[in-house]
Amino acid sequence: MFGVDRISEISSPDSLRKRSQDRDSLLLTATLRRVGRGAPVPVRIRNLSAGGLMAEHGPVLPVGAEVEIELRSLGLVRGTVAWSAEGRVGIAFDEEIDPKAVRKPVTVRAPGEEKPLKRPL
């Protein structure tokens, strides 16, 4: 869990410059909720890195709030609100993730495309 020192570190000039180089712009949907409070709400992720994300989110969340976000291929990821403005929120993850795993397309097989079952010899 991040404290105030970690949040200050996240918004230092050197840190901001490094973060802008390490993140990719994209558009993914996910669900977000404050830890221990209420139901998950849908959000649109606008950029993502190993250490955090920026998402479009209706209500303003307080800086320092603990949140969980459901990311495809990874499941629930915990983090802390690093900044919040009307309509957008920045979240710093508690532990780094593999952003490539989240960006992988979900494949759905059409009926009849199932893999054949292996037969015992």
Side-chain angles (χ1 to χ4, degrees):
M1 182 162 44
F2 294 126
V4 174
D5 293 338
R6 175 69 175 130
I7 293 170
S8 297
E9 176 185 315
I10 291 168
S11 46
S12 72
D14 290 335
S15 167
L16 290 173
R17 187 171 27 263
K18 181 182 180 313
R19 282 189 6 230
S20 68
Q21 295 169 353
D22 295 340
R23 66 180 175 221
D24 292 326
S25 293
L26 66 150
L27 179 60
L28 293 174
T29 58
T31 56
L32 174 74
R33 78 172 186 92
R34 287 185 67 179
V35 173
R37 295 187 178 194
V41 295
V43 296
R44 286 187 296 226
I45 299 171
R46 290 301 193 166
N47 58 51
L48 176 70
S49 70
L53 61 79
M54 187 274 288
E56 292 177 345
H57 177 268
V60 175
L61 291 170
V63 172
E66 295 177 347
V67 295
E68 293 176 327
I69 188 157
E70 180 85 26
L71 296 174
R72 105 176 150 196
S73 301
L74 295 181
L76 281 178
V77 176
R78 290 186 79 142
T80 304
V81 175
W83 58 267
S84 185
E86 188 62 41
R88 296 197 176 201
V89 63
I91 297 170
F93 299 138
D94 290 353
E95 296 181 21
E96 286 194 352
I97 64 158
D98 177 4
K100 290 178 185 174
V102 179
R103 290 199 257 324
K104 284 184 183 176
V106 176
T107 54
V108 177
R109 293 181 186 195
E113 288 187 40
E114 292 85 15
K115 287 185 178 179
L117 297 174
K118 290 185 180 179
R119 294 185 184 159
L121 297 173

